[in-house]
Amino acid sequence: MPEAERADPGRWPPAVAASTPHRPSRVAAIEAPVERKKSFFERCCGCCGSKTEDDYSSPYRGHRDGRDTHGRDGHGGVDADGIPLDELPTRETNDEMLVVTGVDLMKDRSGKNRCDHHTNEYECDDLIVRRGQPFQICLQLRRPFNAECDQVSLQFQIGNSPQVSKGTMVLVPQVSEFDNGQWGSQVCEATGNQVTLWVNTSAQAPIGRWQMLVKTQSRGGSYVMARDPKHAVYILYNPWCQLDTVFMSDESWKREYVLCETGRLYYGTEQQIGERSWNFGQFNKGVLDACLYLLDQAGMPYPGRGDPINVTRVVSALVNSMDDNGVVAGDWSGDYSAGTNPTAWVGSVDILLKYHQTGSPVKYGQCWVFSGVTTTVLRCFGIPTRSVTNFASAHDTDANLCLDVYFDENMQPLEDKNTDSVWNYHVWNDCWMARPDLPSGYGGWQAVDATPQETSSGMFRCGPCPLPAIKNGLVYVKYDAPFIFAEVNSDKVYYQRQADGTFKKVFVEERAVGHRISTKAVGSNAREDITHLYKHPEGSAEERRAVTTALQYSGIKPPVVETPEPGAPEPRDRREAPGAEVNAGQDIEVTIEAQDGVVMGNDMNVRVILKNCSSSQRNVALCLRVASMYYTGVCRAAFKEVTQDVTLRPGEARPVGMLLRHTEYQSQLVDQGAMMLTASGQVKETGQTIAKQHSFRIRTPDLTITVTGEALVGKQIIAEITFTNPLNQQLHNCEFHVEGPGLQRPKVVSVGNIGPLRAASITERFTPTRPGPRQLMASFDSSELSQIHGSTEVMVRDA
């Protein structure tokens, strides 16, 4: 694993944030001291040589500023096209002038520039390069180039009011040697009336679409070539460059987290993990412009676009639409008739293109959609990113770093007070970057969440927050460490209402949240468990210490651990057991199990196992309630209830089962077929209160996708996609969503209604546009049944 500090020299003081004129809370700023000079080719990237950590300095030197509506920076104004008035095209020429008659940006997708910069997959005909790494251009001249008396310089500018002082207008000099990954150009070769230049951009340059102008100086005078929109160059972040804040040393990681267009998103419950393919499609036609459009919509100043910390924070806000008219409108109501059911999306491409076209939020999304779109945007920009799923994910609404669950006197849940919740799963993102704004050790993976749950500095956004800070309970580290810590490591506290109306703690569950945190493995479709990056092993002294540390830094006083009653078990460690005084003396252990893998339409069994850990007989009055639930932890009213008195001999364990028939649960299900079993009760002899909850789900069937024909670029092939209705009822408004990067652009096919237990299929003809391993993905949606999807691998060869 690459070390986090590899990308984080950590020698600079914390950053100073400056406000943005028209969006004060949107973008933060970082200032860093000037780097010492070293040979560029020694320090650029893995392609040009490598150095140790001590051989390079902090890579960020951006400035924060707003757009200058006057278009002035002390160097003169600009014309209507944004060209400086003192840099207008030359109108009259003479024979001695070095006149540029043409510019070849060498932007062919299979050419050296695009391949060397790992941008050849972008379905875009413009030149796309990564910052801090040289590329070539070729100039056609009216006469031969004379190195003794001719000079060629370039000018790059971005935005509506480019200014030298703000780094949005750069006068690129002709230099004898590139130095420190700064702007510069060199003559590579001069043959006849043609000269080839090496051009290098700054490793801290703002990302975006830059316009290039060409100037020459010779005995005949200076010449300025007319601006041409075709001379645009897209500049992106560069994980291959050691001077870039997003540098990542592991090549296999870069292939996975920057270049891979498809991935796996995980859902369900920790006992029943489901997975689905997702088309990130960051290289699809139009996606790069759509992603850059997000930064424009945010009003993000161009100088700030060089800092991935700022950009990532902006993206986490802009992907949701809550307070800034962002990309995706979230909806968990179950009624998606005004848009697309969140489970029907197959990827991010259609969402981003629709948003770019209309400027209006796309309906609808939930957490995996927000995460998938975020992965697309950040990978498109060149920031290594992955989607991450946290099972049993806490949503702490009152910022007390605990999950509070309230019951009445009869242990019935009080839903009006239960504002905190445990989501069956929640999907967010990790992105990779240095953190020169923080002390050493916080570089590497950063948690980012675009799902609008709680506000951060007045906006619905979250992160980037270093994973080491989350793991160790260092909730003072920016950004949003307390909220993310609570998601993965808060204690679940059960309260019971007393006769006088007050609430008493009856149980503290220390291992209730943050389980099996998952992401797609590097180089395969396997699931990788990365829980160890977010928290110490459950129950360990380090994990309990992290909880205590988080509470202390948050100003929340942990419960006092009192000496337990005689005969009660001792806590493992007083530092690690803030709930020990509540749980002490509880000698009935409760375990809940649900039958795994039951497909929609079948009966299933759930059961509670009671174990008497005492040396005396115990009598338990037990109540089991089952309710359908949204995956966000919100439950409907219980639709089945069973009560039973259970007698347990010393040391005895006894199961109490419940059969759920499909006729009982089918009409009660909401999105994703999840249910909650609540076990509550009381031990007659000791007064111990039993309180335990367990979520489980019903599986939906998969789609079958069969591809026939030889997969060649430019040759049509056929795919048949089949779905079988598992229910004994008709499905209405049925449709298939199909897409695959390099294979098929997003497409929706309506098939009307499907009868009970009947199969339906569609035949899709598509023509591959890019070679290599590809995935064709599809989903099925209807009014009665959703969360049905499938994918297949297609190996495409050049014709």
Side-chain angles (χ1 to χ4, degrees):
M1 175 188 296
E3 297 180 3
E5 289 75 22
R6 177 73 172 149
D8 190 351
R11 290 193 280 266
W12 310 126
V16 178
S19 61
T20 304
H22 47 290
R23 281 187 180 267
S25 63
R26 175 67 71 184
V27 184
I30 296 172
E31 296 279 359
V34 177
E35 301 169 334
R36 65 182 186 273
K37 292 185 177 297
K38 281 186 176 290
S39 170
F40 168 77
F41 283 102
E42 290 181 339
R43 305 178 59 210
C44 168
C45 60
C47 303
C48 308
S50 61
K51 289 289 176 181
T52 65
E53 178 180 332
D54 292 335
D55 288 327
Y56 58 93
S57 303
S58 178
Y60 185 82
R61 296 200 297 173
H63 297 277
R64 287 280 293 105
D65 229 323
R67 295 176 179 171
D68 185 348
T69 56
H70 301 289
R72 298 181 180 276
D73 64 349
H75 296 273
V78 297
D79 70 358
D81 294 322
I83 300 176
L85 297 177
D86 54 359
E87 302 290 351
L88 291 175
T90 303
R91 305 301 182 186
E92 297 182 2
T93 63
N94 57 60
D95 292 340
E96 291 190 355
M97 272 189 177
L98 189 64
V99 178
V100 181
T101 59
V103 177
D104 180 4
L105 292 180
M106 305 173 73
K107 57 189 179 181
D108 185 84
R109 286 171 55 188
S110 60
K112 180 177 175 58
N113 279 342
R114 296 283 294 270
C115 290
D116 285 354
H117 285 252
H118 305 92
T119 61
N120 50 305
E121 289 285 339
Y122 285 88
E123 294 177 352
C124 176
D125 294 330
D126 290 307
L127 177 60
I128 306 173
V129 299
R130 299 190 186 275
R131 64 186 192 175
Q133 182 176 336
F135 61 94
Q136 289 185 326
I137 65 171
C138 183
L139 304 180
Q140 301 293 332
L141 309 173
R142 183 181 294 174
R143 64 167 176 80
F145 178 81
N146 185 340
E148 295 183 358
C149 61
D150 293 335
Q151 287 282 327
V152 177
S153 62
L154 305 175
Q155 178 176 297
F156 282 78
Q157 58 188 49
I158 188 171
N160 297 325
S161 302
Q163 299 175 48
V164 173
S165 62
K166 297 178 180 179
T168 55
M169 179 189 297
V170 181
L171 308 178
V172 183
Q174 186 175 324
V175 298
S176 58
E177 181 183 9
F178 290 134
D179 191 23
N180 289 346
Q182 299 304 310
W183 292 90
S185 66
Q186 293 178 357
V187 175
C188 173
E189 181 182 18
T191 304
N193 288 18
Q194 182 173 290
V195 61
T196 302
L197 301 178
W198 279 109
V199 183
N200 190 61
T201 59
S202 168
Q204 295 85 43
I207 64 166
R209 190 174 188 268
W210 291 72
Q211 185 67 37
M212 188 187 75
L213 301 174
V214 183
K215 295 174 58 179
T216 67
Q217 184 69 43
S218 62
R219 292 193 182 103
S222 61
Y223 172 84
V224 180
M225 188 178 185
R227 174 176 176 173
D228 190 333
K230 292 184 293 186
H231 298 162
V233 179
Y234 288 88
I235 298 178
L236 306 178
Y237 294 114
N238 193 353
W240 286 265
C241 176
Q242 291 183 357
L243 298 177
D244 199 310
T245 322
V246 302
F247 171 69
M248 177 179 270
S249 61
D250 191 299
E251 289 296 326
S252 64
W253 283 34
K254 284 179 284 198
R255 287 194 297 271
E256 180 68 44
Y257 300 130
V258 180
L259 301 180
C260 189
E261 294 180 82
T262 58
R264 289 287 195 273
L265 304 182
Y266 300 94
Y267 65 95
T269 66
E270 60 183 291
Q271 295 84 13
Q272 303 171 37
I273 295 179
E275 65 177 51
R276 61 176 300 170
S277 295
W278 189 267
N279 176 24
F280 299 123
Q282 67 267 30
F283 302 135
N284 270 43
K285 185 176 181 180
V287 170
L288 176 56
D289 285 329
C291 293
L292 292 172
Y293 175 70
L294 266 65
L295 305 184
D296 295 336
Q297 285 292 90
M300 186 177 190
Y302 286 94
R305 302 185 188 193
D307 178 14
I309 303 170
N310 291 341
V311 167
T312 299
R313 191 149 172 81
V314 166
V315 170
S316 77
L318 254 294
V319 166
N320 70 75
S321 67
M322 284 296 289
D323 42 25
D324 47 21
N325 203 46
V327 180
V328 181
D331 195 300
W332 286 262
S333 68
D335 179 10
Y336 311 116
S337 55
T340 298
N341 187 327
T343 62
W345 296 112
V346 183
S348 310
V349 175
D350 202 23
I351 295 172
L352 286 164
L353 295 182
K354 285 181 177 178
Y355 181 71
H356 190 200
Q357 180 182 14
T358 65
S360 299
V362 178
K363 302 176 180 179
Y364 293 103
Q366 292 176 4
C367 67
W368 66 92
V369 180
F370 294 115
S371 174
V373 173
T374 299
T375 299
T376 299
V377 175
L378 296 183
R379 285 189 186 181
C380 187
F381 289 161
I383 301 175
T385 307
R386 62 190 183 189
S387 289
V388 172
T389 300
N390 177 38
F391 290 96
S393 185
H395 181 181
D396 177 22
T397 59
D398 53 10
N400 68 348
L401 301 185
C402 290
L403 184 71
D404 304 314
V405 184
Y406 294 90
F407 295 87
D408 65 12
E409 296 84 347
N410 299 316
M411 292 304 292
Q412 292 274 10
L414 294 171
E415 297 302 342
D416 60 326
K417 291 189 68 65
N418 290 333
T419 56
D420 289 350
S421 61
V422 177
W423 295 31
N424 289 346
Y425 67 95
H426 180 43
V427 190
W428 62 69
N429 297 88
D430 287 343
C431 58
W432 180 274
M433 63 186 66
R435 289 301 298 267
D437 59 323
L438 297 175
S440 179
Y442 291 106
W445 290 118
Q446 316 284 318
V448 179
D449 194 350
T451 299
Q453 291 178 295
E454 301 295 327
T455 60
S456 170
S457 299
M459 300 189 70
F460 283 96
R461 56 184 171 184
C462 184
C465 180
L467 266 57
I470 300 166
K471 182 174 183 176
N472 293 297
L474 305 179
V475 294
Y476 58 85
V477 175
K478 61 182 182 183
Y479 295 94
D480 309 307
F483 182 79
I484 304 173
F485 176 85
E487 287 183 301
V488 301
N489 209 12
S490 55
D491 290 343
K492 189 173 184 179
V493 184
Y494 294 81
Y495 294 88
Q496 184 181 22
R497 188 168 61 195
Q498 305 300 296
D500 61 359
T502 62
F503 285 88
K504 175 186 176 182
K505 286 182 185 178
V506 294
F507 188 66
V508 176
E509 192 175 356
E510 296 175 352
R511 307 185 186 192
V513 304
H515 301 154
R516 306 183 74 177
I517 303 175
S518 303
T519 190
K520 177 185 175 298
V522 173
S524 77
N525 288 326
R527 183 184 66 86
E528 180 182 0
D529 192 307
I530 58 170
T531 307
H532 64 283
L533 298 181
Y534 276 88
K535 59 195 298 187
H536 295 283
E538 288 281 12
S540 66
E542 293 84 0
E543 185 264 339
R544 287 289 91 194
R545 190 176 299 116
V547 173
T548 302
T549 299
L551 293 171
Q552 289 174 341
Y553 277 116
S554 299
I556 301 170
K557 185 178 181 181
V560 177
V561 181
E562 301 174 353
T563 303
E565 296 293 329
E570 286 286 341
R572 294 182 301 275
D573 186 329
R574 291 185 183 277
R575 294 172 303 172
E576 62 161 351
E581 79 284 3
V582 178
N583 298 343
Q586 299 195 356
D587 49 26
I588 299 297
E589 290 185 354
V590 182
T591 305
I592 301 179
E593 297 177 350
Q595 189 176 349
D596 190 14
V598 175
V599 178
M600 188 84 68
N602 295 312
D603 299 342
M604 74 174 300
N605 290 294
V606 296
R607 67 176 187 170
V608 174
I609 300 175
L610 301 177
K611 183 179 180 179
N612 182 3
C613 299
S614 74
S615 58
S616 303
Q617 179 174 295
R618 295 288 185 258
N619 291 279
V620 181
L622 183 68
C623 179
L624 304 182
R625 300 182 184 87
V626 179
S628 59
M629 67 178 295
Y630 296 91
Y631 84 97
T632 56
V634 177
C635 292
R636 301 175 70 178
F639 63 84
K640 186 168 185 176
E641 180 176 310
V642 172
T643 59
Q644 185 173 339
D645 292 329
V646 183
T647 300
L648 298 170
R649 296 188 302 273
E652 180 184 8
R654 176 177 296 183
V656 178
M658 175 190 292
L659 176 65
L660 279 179
R661 300 187 183 279
H662 77 276
T663 52
E664 293 177 311
Y665 69 72
Q666 190 68 60
S667 61
Q668 301 292 329
L669 293 180
V670 292
D671 288 352
Q672 305 188 44
M675 287 177 273
M676 173 72 81
L677 173 63
T678 300
S680 61
Q682 196 165 50
V683 181
K684 180 179 179 181
E685 290 78 8
T686 64
Q688 173 188 344
T689 299
I690 292 175
K692 190 84 169 181
Q693 292 182 314
H694 177 83
S695 60
F696 58 97
R697 70 182 181 93
I698 304 293
R699 279 194 56 200
T700 51
D702 296 326
L703 295 179
T704 301
I705 304 177
T706 305
V707 176
T708 57
E710 186 179 13
L712 299 174
V713 173
K715 180 182 177 181
Q716 188 179 84
I717 55 177
I718 298 174
E720 184 177 30
I721 305 170
T722 304
F723 164 74
T724 301
N725 179 6
L727 304 181
N728 194 21
Q729 67 181 87
Q730 182 165 275
L731 304 181
H732 300 85
N733 305 312
C734 304
E735 59 185 24
F736 291 88
H737 293 242
V738 186
E739 63 185 84
L743 296 176
Q744 171 70 54
R745 294 184 68 80
K747 183 177 182 180
V748 180
V749 180
S750 297
V751 293
N753 302 331
I754 300 176
L757 308 177
R758 299 294 298 273
S761 65
I762 61 171
T763 299
E764 283 299 302
R765 291 173 170 81
F766 56 93
T767 303
T769 59
R770 287 183 277 145
R774 304 291 169 188
Q775 279 193 50
L776 183 66
M777 290 162 275
S779 72
F780 173 85
D781 186 51
S782 68
S783 300
E784 294 80 11
L785 197 57
S786 60
Q787 190 75 316
I788 299 166
H789 37 76
S791 65
T792 190
E793 301 285 340
V794 180
M795 178 56 72
V796 181
R797 298 187 296 108
D798 276 315

